[in-house]
Amino acid sequence: MFKYFEPNKIFAVTSKAPKYVLFLFIVILSIGLAEALILSPEDYKQSHSVRIMYVHVPAAWICLGIFSSITFLSVVGYIFKIRNFFLISKSLAPSGFVFNIIAIVTGSIWGKPTWGTWWAWDARITSMLIMALFYLLYLISWRIYENNDKVFKVTSIITILGIINVPIVKYSVDWWNTLHQPASVNILSQSSIHISMLYPLLIMTAAFALFSLLIFLMKYNTELIKIKNKGLDRL
Amino acid sequence: MYGNKVKLRFFFIFLVFLILSLTAFLILKSLEENVVYFQSPTDVKSLAEIEKNKIRIGGMVKNNSIFIEEKELKFIVTDFENEINVIYTGVIPNLFSEGKGVVAEGFLKDRSLFLATKILAKHDENYMPPEVKAALKEK
């Protein structure tokens, strides 16, 4: 029913990859942290608390990116019955969830000195919380329906429900009055962040993306080993 | 090219997505008043009747409008069309200043007077080092 793929061939590559990714991650993270914490200037308004942004924004980006990828893979996997896509989604989810929590927590830490409150029920913050709940729902459903074909349907539906929330997260600051400020980094229009602050931000984003890749590879390898242990050379 | 089952599954997913998006849109549209975190002075001006419950208003702190009298802080919130006078007693966030965004929580006395119980500084999307800001000011 599901398309076959050969875990052995994939495993030959993915089992060797983590150490290189880890090395690259440490290098990029060191550069990123040095830039973000020491070399980059303080902000004219918020002074040093701007440095929280170098963790907060990349975490939020990666979190949104991973949820979109999971949805895409799950939907295509469901339509064409590709089991491998579901395993990739399953392995991607934990780091997306972790970055979601990091984005919320660092946002809260930044909000206290800047806004004067830890938490506000504004559209951006609330939709990020809803996103964390969707991640949780997704992860729990894998636990519940493990080794059951139902898991493919259930997780696909959860991702479709959750993907509706993604544009809401992105555009909440433009559609409604929110306490959270609108996006500073824009691809199509002029960014309102100074170039000396944009570089560390992009380096940190690369570092976090590598971290996600690392966690993904480790999770994915575990999945492949599980399949091997079942004595199946084809899934 | 693809089997009928594949087409059916595609159509199924498409319909689910369409229905959910429309539902989400309708819910958000009808809840718009609650989704917005604060109302602008213009929104307050166009209120049919003065809201008795606690509300939030937001906008820019008008330049040269901050006055501190004993323990009271008075300032004007503007959205460059309408203005509201705000009176507040309590802790002021560090980033609260003239020409910057603010959100005030409290009660409307009348259409141009707001008694705040809490104020939050709203940060804008501009990030730059102090030197750049100084250079911009000189221009």
Side-chain angles (χ1 to χ4, degrees), chain A residues 58-84:
Chain A
W61 280 347
I62 303 278
C63 154
L64 284 170
I66 288 182
F67 202 95
S68 309
S69 317
I70 286 177
T71 307
F72 177 76
L73 288 168
S74 300
V75 167
V76 174
Y78 173 76
I79 292 170
F80 296 102
K81 300 278 170 189
I82 307 167
R83 190 177 293 235
N84 191 16

PDB file of all heavy atoms in Angstrom, chain A residues 58-84:
ATOM      1  N   PRO A  58      15.418  33.843  15.212  1.00  0.00           N
ATOM      2  CA  PRO A  58      15.739  32.593  14.509  1.00  0.00           C
ATOM      3  C   PRO A  58      14.916  31.408  15.016  1.00  0.00           C
ATOM      4  O   PRO A  58      14.447  30.602  14.210  1.00  0.00           O
ATOM      5  CB  PRO A  58      17.224  32.379  14.828  1.00  0.00           C
ATOM      6  CG  PRO A  58      17.756  33.714  15.122  1.00  0.00           C
ATOM      7  CD  PRO A  58      16.634  34.458  15.774  1.00  0.00           C
ATOM      8  N   ALA A  59      14.706  31.320  16.327  1.00  0.00           N
ATOM      9  CA  ALA A  59      13.924  30.213  16.881  1.00  0.00           C
ATOM     10  C   ALA A  59      12.517  30.223  16.294  1.00  0.00           C
ATOM     11  O   ALA A  59      12.000  29.183  15.888  1.00  0.00           O
ATOM     12  CB  ALA A  59      13.873  30.310  18.404  1.00  0.00           C
ATOM     13  N   ALA A  60      11.913  31.420  16.223  1.00  0.00           N
ATOM     14  CA  ALA A  60      10.553  31.525  15.686  1.00  0.00           C
ATOM     15  C   ALA A  60      10.525  31.157  14.197  1.00  0.00           C
ATOM     16  O   ALA A  60       9.617  30.463  13.736  1.00  0.00           O
ATOM     17  CB  ALA A  60      10.015  32.931  15.909  1.00  0.00           C
ATOM     18  N   TRP A  61      11.524  31.615  13.463  1.00  0.00           N
ATOM     19  CA  TRP A  61      11.590  31.289  12.025  1.00  0.00           C
ATOM     20  C   TRP A  61      11.685  29.782  11.799  1.00  0.00           C
ATOM     21  O   TRP A  61      10.962  29.209  10.986  1.00  0.00           O
ATOM     22  CB  TRP A  61      12.807  31.969  11.386  1.00  0.00           C
ATOM     23  CG  TRP A  61      12.613  33.405  11.064  1.00  0.00           C
ATOM     24  CD1 TRP A  61      11.431  34.085  11.040  1.00  0.00           C
ATOM     25  CD2 TRP A  61      13.634  34.361  10.728  1.00  0.00           C
ATOM     26  NE1 TRP A  61      11.649  35.403  10.716  1.00  0.00           N
ATOM     27  CE2 TRP A  61      12.987  35.597  10.518  1.00  0.00           C
ATOM     28  CE3 TRP A  61      15.016  34.277  10.589  1.00  0.00           C
ATOM     29  CZ2 TRP A  61      13.675  36.755  10.162  1.00  0.00           C
ATOM     30  CZ3 TRP A  61      15.703  35.422  10.240  1.00  0.00           C
ATOM     31  CH2 TRP A  61      15.045  36.645  10.036  1.00  0.00           C
ATOM     32  N   ILE A  62      12.614  29.151  12.530  1.00  0.00           N
ATOM     33  CA  ILE A  62      12.826  27.715  12.357  1.00  0.00           C
ATOM     34  C   ILE A  62      11.558  26.944  12.739  1.00  0.00           C
ATOM     35  O   ILE A  62      11.163  25.988  12.061  1.00  0.00           O
ATOM     36  CB  ILE A  62      14.015  27.231  13.222  1.00  0.00           C
ATOM     37  CG1 ILE A  62      15.288  27.997  12.873  1.00  0.00           C
ATOM     38  CG2 ILE A  62      14.208  25.724  13.108  1.00  0.00           C
ATOM     39  CD1 ILE A  62      16.029  27.524  11.678  1.00  0.00           C
ATOM     40  N   CYS A  63      10.924  27.408  13.806  1.00  0.00           N
ATOM     41  CA  CYS A  63       9.702  26.764  14.278  1.00  0.00           C
ATOM     42  C   CYS A  63       8.618  26.803  13.201  1.00  0.00           C
ATOM     43  O   CYS A  63       7.988  25.794  12.893  1.00  0.00           O
ATOM     44  CB  CYS A  63       9.252  27.466  15.549  1.00  0.00           C
ATOM     45  SG  CYS A  63       7.524  27.387  15.901  1.00  0.00           S
ATOM     46  N   LEU A  64       8.440  27.958  12.570  1.00  0.00           N
ATOM     47  CA  LEU A  64       7.451  28.091  11.488  1.00  0.00           C
ATOM     48  C   LEU A  64       7.859  27.251  10.279  1.00  0.00           C
ATOM     49  O   LEU A  64       7.031  26.586   9.660  1.00  0.00           O
ATOM     50  CB  LEU A  64       7.325  29.555  11.055  1.00  0.00           C
ATOM     51  CG  LEU A  64       6.556  30.490  11.971  1.00  0.00           C
ATOM     52  CD1 LEU A  64       6.743  31.931  11.528  1.00  0.00           C
ATOM     53  CD2 LEU A  64       5.085  30.156  11.973  1.00  0.00           C
ATOM     54  N   GLY A  65       9.160  27.293   9.953  1.00  0.00           N
ATOM     55  CA  GLY A  65       9.663  26.560   8.796  1.00  0.00           C
ATOM     56  C   GLY A  65       9.460  25.063   8.947  1.00  0.00           C
ATOM     57  O   GLY A  65       9.035  24.390   8.006  1.00  0.00           O
ATOM     58  N   ILE A  66       9.750  24.554  10.148  1.00  0.00           N
ATOM     59  CA  ILE A  66       9.617  23.116  10.371  1.00  0.00           C
ATOM     60  C   ILE A  66       8.150  22.702  10.313  1.00  0.00           C
ATOM     61  O   ILE A  66       7.815  21.686   9.712  1.00  0.00           O
ATOM     62  CB  ILE A  66      10.274  22.699  11.709  1.00  0.00           C
ATOM     63  CG1 ILE A  66      11.797  22.786  11.570  1.00  0.00           C
ATOM     64  CG2 ILE A  66       9.856  21.293  12.102  1.00  0.00           C
ATOM     65  CD1 ILE A  66      12.566  22.363  12.793  1.00  0.00           C
ATOM     66  N   PHE A  67       7.272  23.525  10.883  1.00  0.00           N
ATOM     67  CA  PHE A  67       5.854  23.140  10.831  1.00  0.00           C
ATOM     68  C   PHE A  67       5.365  23.098   9.385  1.00  0.00           C
ATOM     69  O   PHE A  67       4.635  22.186   8.995  1.00  0.00           O
ATOM     70  CB  PHE A  67       4.967  24.083  11.660  1.00  0.00           C
ATOM     71  CG  PHE A  67       3.665  23.427  12.034  1.00  0.00           C
ATOM     72  CD1 PHE A  67       3.533  22.799  13.253  1.00  0.00           C
ATOM     73  CD2 PHE A  67       2.602  23.394  11.151  1.00  0.00           C
ATOM     74  CE1 PHE A  67       2.361  22.142  13.583  1.00  0.00           C
ATOM     75  CE2 PHE A  67       1.424  22.744  11.477  1.00  0.00           C
ATOM     76  CZ  PHE A  67       1.301  22.121  12.700  1.00  0.00           C
ATOM     77  N   SER A  68       5.789  24.073   8.579  1.00  0.00           N
ATOM     78  CA  SER A  68       5.383  24.084   7.168  1.00  0.00           C
ATOM     79  C   SER A  68       5.931  22.848   6.452  1.00  0.00           C
ATOM     80  O   SER A  68       5.206  22.216   5.665  1.00  0.00           O
ATOM     81  CB  SER A  68       5.900  25.343   6.480  1.00  0.00           C
ATOM     82  OG  SER A  68       5.543  26.474   7.232  1.00  0.00           O
ATOM     83  N   SER A  69       7.182  22.492   6.725  1.00  0.00           N
ATOM     84  CA  SER A  69       7.782  21.315   6.082  1.00  0.00           C
ATOM     85  C   SER A  69       7.044  20.045   6.475  1.00  0.00           C
ATOM     86  O   SER A  69       6.760  19.190   5.633  1.00  0.00           O
ATOM     87  CB  SER A  69       9.243  21.156   6.491  1.00  0.00           C
ATOM     88  OG  SER A  69       9.891  22.389   6.476  1.00  0.00           O
ATOM     89  N   ILE A  70       6.729  19.934   7.769  1.00  0.00           N
ATOM     90  CA  ILE A  70       6.026  18.747   8.257  1.00  0.00           C
ATOM     91  C   ILE A  70       4.682  18.611   7.543  1.00  0.00           C
ATOM     92  O   ILE A  70       4.295  17.535   7.110  1.00  0.00           O
ATOM     93  CB  ILE A  70       5.806  18.854   9.783  1.00  0.00           C
ATOM     94  CG1 ILE A  70       7.111  18.623  10.523  1.00  0.00           C
ATOM     95  CG2 ILE A  70       4.770  17.862  10.246  1.00  0.00           C
ATOM     96  CD1 ILE A  70       6.991  18.793  12.014  1.00  0.00           C
ATOM     97  N   THR A  71       3.985  19.744   7.407  1.00  0.00           N
ATOM     98  CA  THR A  71       2.678  19.711   6.751  1.00  0.00           C
ATOM     99  C   THR A  71       2.812  19.284   5.303  1.00  0.00           C
ATOM    100  O   THR A  71       2.094  18.397   4.832  1.00  0.00           O
ATOM    101  CB  THR A  71       2.016  21.099   6.807  1.00  0.00           C
ATOM    102  OG1 THR A  71       2.009  21.542   8.150  1.00  0.00           O
ATOM    103  CG2 THR A  71       0.611  21.047   6.272  1.00  0.00           C
ATOM    104  N   PHE A  72       3.768  19.894   4.612  1.00  0.00           N
ATOM    105  CA  PHE A  72       3.973  19.558   3.206  1.00  0.00           C
ATOM    106  C   PHE A  72       4.273  18.067   3.042  1.00  0.00           C
ATOM    107  O   PHE A  72       3.655  17.370   2.240  1.00  0.00           O
ATOM    108  CB  PHE A  72       5.117  20.400   2.643  1.00  0.00           C
ATOM    109  CG  PHE A  72       5.455  20.070   1.226  1.00  0.00           C
ATOM    110  CD1 PHE A  72       4.638  20.509   0.189  1.00  0.00           C
ATOM    111  CD2 PHE A  72       6.562  19.298   0.924  1.00  0.00           C
ATOM    112  CE1 PHE A  72       4.934  20.189  -1.121  1.00  0.00           C
ATOM    113  CE2 PHE A  72       6.868  18.971  -0.386  1.00  0.00           C
ATOM    114  CZ  PHE A  72       6.050  19.415  -1.416  1.00  0.00           C
ATOM    115  N   LEU A  73       5.225  17.567   3.849  1.00  0.00           N
ATOM    116  CA  LEU A  73       5.630  16.159   3.753  1.00  0.00           C
ATOM    117  C   LEU A  73       4.474  15.224   4.097  1.00  0.00           C
ATOM    118  O   LEU A  73       4.279  14.198   3.442  1.00  0.00           O
ATOM    119  CB  LEU A  73       6.813  15.891   4.688  1.00  0.00           C
ATOM    120  CG  LEU A  73       8.153  16.484   4.250  1.00  0.00           C
ATOM    121  CD1 LEU A  73       9.156  16.409   5.373  1.00  0.00           C
ATOM    122  CD2 LEU A  73       8.669  15.754   3.025  1.00  0.00           C
ATOM    123  N   SER A  74       3.706  15.596   5.142  1.00  0.00           N
ATOM    124  CA  SER A  74       2.601  14.733   5.561  1.00  0.00           C
ATOM    125  C   SER A  74       1.521  14.676   4.496  1.00  0.00           C
ATOM    126  O   SER A  74       0.976  13.608   4.219  1.00  0.00           O
ATOM    127  CB  SER A  74       1.992  15.236   6.869  1.00  0.00           C
ATOM    128  OG  SER A  74       2.953  15.232   7.876  1.00  0.00           O
ATOM    129  N   VAL A  75       1.203  15.823   3.904  1.00  0.00           N
ATOM    130  CA  VAL A  75       0.137  15.860   2.902  1.00  0.00           C
ATOM    131  C   VAL A  75       0.552  15.097   1.645  1.00  0.00           C
ATOM    132  O   VAL A  75      -0.186  14.250   1.149  1.00  0.00           O
ATOM    133  CB  VAL A  75      -0.245  17.323   2.572  1.00  0.00           C
ATOM    134  CG1 VAL A  75      -1.110  17.390   1.333  1.00  0.00           C
ATOM    135  CG2 VAL A  75      -0.969  17.950   3.747  1.00  0.00           C
ATOM    136  N   VAL A  76       1.761  15.367   1.168  1.00  0.00           N
ATOM    137  CA  VAL A  76       2.249  14.645  -0.021  1.00  0.00           C
ATOM    138  C   VAL A  76       2.375  13.156   0.306  1.00  0.00           C
ATOM    139  O   VAL A  76       1.985  12.293  -0.486  1.00  0.00           O
ATOM    140  CB  VAL A  76       3.605  15.222  -0.495  1.00  0.00           C
ATOM    141  CG1 VAL A  76       4.178  14.373  -1.624  1.00  0.00           C
ATOM    142  CG2 VAL A  76       3.429  16.657  -0.953  1.00  0.00           C
ATOM    143  N   GLY A  77       2.876  12.861   1.510  1.00  0.00           N
ATOM    144  CA  GLY A  77       3.016  11.470   1.941  1.00  0.00           C
ATOM    145  C   GLY A  77       1.674  10.762   2.011  1.00  0.00           C
ATOM    146  O   GLY A  77       1.562   9.588   1.655  1.00  0.00           O
ATOM    147  N   TYR A  78       0.645  11.493   2.438  1.00  0.00           N
ATOM    148  CA  TYR A  78      -0.686  10.906   2.550  1.00  0.00           C
ATOM    149  C   TYR A  78      -1.296  10.668   1.169  1.00  0.00           C
ATOM    150  O   TYR A  78      -1.870   9.608   0.905  1.00  0.00           O
ATOM    151  CB  TYR A  78      -1.589  11.830   3.369  1.00  0.00           C
ATOM    152  CG  TYR A  78      -3.031  11.385   3.396  1.00  0.00           C
ATOM    153  CD1 TYR A  78      -3.434  10.307   4.190  1.00  0.00           C
ATOM    154  CD2 TYR A  78      -3.985  12.035   2.618  1.00  0.00           C
ATOM    155  CE1 TYR A  78      -4.742   9.886   4.203  1.00  0.00           C
ATOM    156  CE2 TYR A  78      -5.301  11.617   2.629  1.00  0.00           C
ATOM    157  CZ  TYR A  78      -5.682  10.544   3.421  1.00  0.00           C
ATOM    158  OH  TYR A  78      -6.985  10.125   3.419  1.00  0.00           O
ATOM    159  N   ILE A  79      -1.138  11.652   0.285  1.00  0.00           N
ATOM    160  CA  ILE A  79      -1.745  11.522  -1.045  1.00  0.00           C
ATOM    161  C   ILE A  79      -1.080  10.395  -1.836  1.00  0.00           C
ATOM    162  O   ILE A  79      -1.754   9.572  -2.455  1.00  0.00           O
ATOM    163  CB  ILE A  79      -1.661  12.863  -1.809  1.00  0.00           C
ATOM    164  CG1 ILE A  79      -2.556  13.898  -1.131  1.00  0.00           C
ATOM    165  CG2 ILE A  79      -2.081  12.689  -3.267  1.00  0.00           C
ATOM    166  CD1 ILE A  79      -2.375  15.309  -1.628  1.00  0.00           C
ATOM    167  N   PHE A  80       0.253  10.366  -1.794  1.00  0.00           N
ATOM    168  CA  PHE A  80       0.963   9.372  -2.613  1.00  0.00           C
ATOM    169  C   PHE A  80       1.410   8.152  -1.810  1.00  0.00           C
ATOM    170  O   PHE A  80       2.134   7.310  -2.315  1.00  0.00           O
ATOM    171  CB  PHE A  80       2.177  10.026  -3.295  1.00  0.00           C
ATOM    172  CG  PHE A  80       1.789  11.095  -4.267  1.00  0.00           C
ATOM    173  CD1 PHE A  80       1.899  12.432  -3.940  1.00  0.00           C
ATOM    174  CD2 PHE A  80       1.275  10.756  -5.512  1.00  0.00           C
ATOM    175  CE1 PHE A  80       1.518  13.418  -4.831  1.00  0.00           C
ATOM    176  CE2 PHE A  80       0.890  11.731  -6.404  1.00  0.00           C
ATOM    177  CZ  PHE A  80       1.007  13.067  -6.068  1.00  0.00           C
ATOM    178  N   LYS A  81       0.993   8.098  -0.532  1.00  0.00           N
ATOM    179  CA  LYS A  81       1.324   6.959   0.338  1.00  0.00           C
ATOM    180  C   LYS A  81       2.826   6.697   0.394  1.00  0.00           C
ATOM    181  O   LYS A  81       3.307   5.620   0.037  1.00  0.00           O
ATOM    182  CB  LYS A  81       0.582   5.696  -0.139  1.00  0.00           C
ATOM    183  CG  LYS A  81      -0.918   5.819  -0.125  1.00  0.00           C
ATOM    184  CD  LYS A  81      -1.470   5.569   1.272  1.00  0.00           C
ATOM    185  CE  LYS A  81      -2.948   5.932   1.327  1.00  0.00           C
ATOM    186  NZ  LYS A  81      -3.472   5.899   2.685  1.00  0.00           N
ATOM    187  N   ILE A  82       3.563   7.698   0.790  1.00  0.00           N
ATOM    188  CA  ILE A  82       5.013   7.534   0.921  1.00  0.00           C
ATOM    189  C   ILE A  82       5.360   7.508   2.411  1.00  0.00           C
ATOM    190  O   ILE A  82       5.328   8.551   3.072  1.00  0.00           O
ATOM    191  CB  ILE A  82       5.770   8.688   0.219  1.00  0.00           C
ATOM    192  CG1 ILE A  82       5.288   8.835  -1.227  1.00  0.00           C
ATOM    193  CG2 ILE A  82       7.280   8.427   0.250  1.00  0.00           C
ATOM    194  CD1 ILE A  82       5.720  10.114  -1.896  1.00  0.00           C
ATOM    195  N   ARG A  83       5.650   6.332   2.919  1.00  0.00           N
ATOM    196  CA  ARG A  83       5.874   6.179   4.357  1.00  0.00           C
ATOM    197  C   ARG A  83       7.102   6.950   4.840  1.00  0.00           C
ATOM    198  O   ARG A  83       7.109   7.491   5.937  1.00  0.00           O
ATOM    199  CB  ARG A  83       6.023   4.695   4.684  1.00  0.00           C
ATOM    200  CG  ARG A  83       6.009   4.396   6.168  1.00  0.00           C
ATOM    201  CD  ARG A  83       6.095   2.917   6.401  1.00  0.00           C
ATOM    202  NE  ARG A  83       4.895   2.233   5.929  1.00  0.00           N
ATOM    203  CZ  ARG A  83       4.153   1.439   6.711  1.00  0.00           C
ATOM    204  NH1 ARG A  83       4.479   1.245   7.958  1.00  0.00           N
ATOM    205  NH2 ARG A  83       3.095   0.831   6.236  1.00  0.00           N
ATOM    206  N   ASN A  84       8.104   6.996   3.996  1.00  0.00           N
ATOM    207  CA  ASN A  84       9.350   7.675   4.370  1.00  0.00           C
ATOM    208  C   ASN A  84       9.103   9.140   4.755  1.00  0.00           C
ATOM    209  O   ASN A  84       9.705   9.661   5.692  1.00  0.00           O
ATOM    210  CB  ASN A  84      10.336   7.584   3.201  1.00  0.00           C
ATOM    211  CG  ASN A  84      11.733   8.019   3.610  1.00  0.00           C
ATOM    212  OD1 ASN A  84      12.042   8.108   4.798  1.00  0.00           O
ATOM    213  ND2 ASN A  84      12.569   8.291   2.638  1.00  0.00           N
TER     214      ASN A  84
END
